[in-house]
Amino acid sequence: MYTNQPLRKGLYAILAGLLTLPISCNREQNDTPTPAISKPSGARFSQGGQCTSLTFGKDLGIWSVVPNSRFQVIVAGDGDRQFVGQILPEPEFGSRFLIRGGQFIARGDFSPTSVAQGASGCFEPGPDGNGWFVPGFSVNDLGSSFEQVSANDGSPAYRVKDRFQGVTDVFSTKAYLGVWTVNNTPLEARRIPGIGLVVAQNVTNADSRSQGRDMFMIRGRNILQRGDVNVSNALDRGRTEAFAGAQTGLSGLLPPFSNLTITGYERLPAANGADEAYRRLP
């Protein structure tokens, strides 16, 4: 029903380039961006034209010098300015990001996606043709949902703040993340004692095995990056690193833990095309 054999044969391909920003898991924050400070700018959403397609998280392309980093659209806290974000290949932190000038995506060693071709003028500019940085940029430009950290080389970098401090247990304080549109089942943040925060697919109303009791499946944290997952808060795609366990196969559909026991729940092993699940004890 969920990852049975026909579905395992390629039905679910992850949408390339969806935003995966790292996150701090120990800060309080408000997801409502604060006004950003005024700076010289490129074209803006409100000006219309080609720039309106460059929405938050759009894939911009690949830089041949560091091909395993990604470039994506970062939108300012004022909602009307675009920045070029370089998502760094730092696996221990889930890749923090740098802010580049718009000229970067017009460089000869950069391979832009179709949406980025000829669009360098839509982004906040750098001081020269290389687009290495945006003069005067600060974390205030991003708004209150972000914080400044350091990249491995000490460069100023940025990441999405945590919003899950209120999730303290498996059942009563779960937080809604979005929906997997394949079968319209909710994805939730739940905290398991001894494990930490996990992405749980709530199948209480979709799987007859639930018998009306709370029931969920644990997914790989990278499921939030899938193209067939609609998140209610766009920044949650950048909170992947708040969740325990590794990224898993089938774009996050495979479970990140094996033989895990959860207090108050019984484990239903995978069988007959149904996935492993946890059902609340009566």
Side-chain angles (χ1 to χ4, degrees), residues 41-204:
S41 64
R44 300 190 176 203
F45 285 118
S46 58
Q47 294 176 257
Q50 179 184 13
C51 302
T52 59
S53 65
L54 296 167
T55 53
F56 194 96
K58 283 282 189 178
D59 181 20
L60 294 173
I62 297 173
W63 184 30
S64 63
V65 177
V66 187
N68 57 338
S69 66
R70 303 185 314 281
F71 286 76
Q72 295 167 338
V73 179
I74 308 293
V75 176
D78 59 18
D80 198 29
R81 291 178 294 152
Q82 296 104 313
F83 294 100
V84 174
Q86 180 185 0
I87 317 301
L88 300 172
E90 297 178 354
E92 69 272 34
F93 292 106
S95 308
R96 294 165 281 194
F97 66 98
L98 305 177
I99 295 295
R100 303 298 194 187
Q103 300 96 318
F104 206 100
I105 63 173
R107 292 165 53 112
D109 55 4
F110 189 86
S111 300
T113 59
S114 58
V115 73
Q117 291 178 0
S120 60
C122 294
F123 296 90
E124 302 302 293
D128 57 35
N130 288 319
W132 287 115
F133 64 97
V134 175
F137 177 86
S138 80
V139 70
N140 293 329
D141 288 285
L142 297 175
S144 63
S145 292
F146 295 84
E147 63 184 346
Q148 182 171 333
V149 290
S150 293
N152 281 347
D153 64 0
S155 301
Y158 309 91
R159 63 185 176 190
V160 187
K161 292 180 182 178
D162 184 18
R163 73 173 182 91
F164 300 119
Q165 293 87 2
V167 179
T168 59
D169 60 44
V170 180
F171 177 68
S172 62
T173 63
K174 56 185 179 287
Y176 180 75
L177 296 171
V179 62
W180 185 31
T181 60
V182 170
N183 55 19
N184 292 316
T185 48
L187 296 179
E188 301 162 339
R190 301 192 185 208
R191 198 176 298 276
I192 300 173
I195 296 294
L197 206 65
V198 299
V199 179
Q201 180 187 353
N202 189 327
V203 295
T204 305

Side-chain angles (χ1 to χ4, degrees), residues 223-241:
I223 194 173
L224 295 177
Q225 303 165 30
R226 292 175 60 96
D228 54 12
V229 167
N230 288 339
V231 293
S232 60
N233 182 326
L235 295 183
D236 281 348
R237 293 198 190 276
R239 294 189 169 99
T240 304
E241 296 305 310

Side-chain angles (χ1 to χ4, degrees), residues 2-3 7-8 11-15 20 177 180 182 185-188 198-202 216-229 237 240 243-257 275-276:
Y2 302 102
T3 58
L7 298 184
R8 289 178 188 272
L11 181 59
Y12 308 117
I14 187 171
L15 181 63
T20 306
L177 296 171
W180 185 31
V182 170
T185 48
L187 296 179
E188 301 162 339
V198 299
V199 179
Q201 180 187 353
N202 189 327
F216 64 90
M217 299 170 179
I218 301 176
R219 299 304 192 185
R221 61 193 184 186
N222 49 320
I223 194 173
L224 295 177
Q225 303 165 30
R226 292 175 60 96
D228 54 12
V229 167
R237 293 198 190 276
T240 304
F243 296 96
Q247 299 191 31
T248 66
L250 294 181
S251 300
L253 293 181
L254 297 184
F257 311 105
D275 286 2
E276 176 183 85

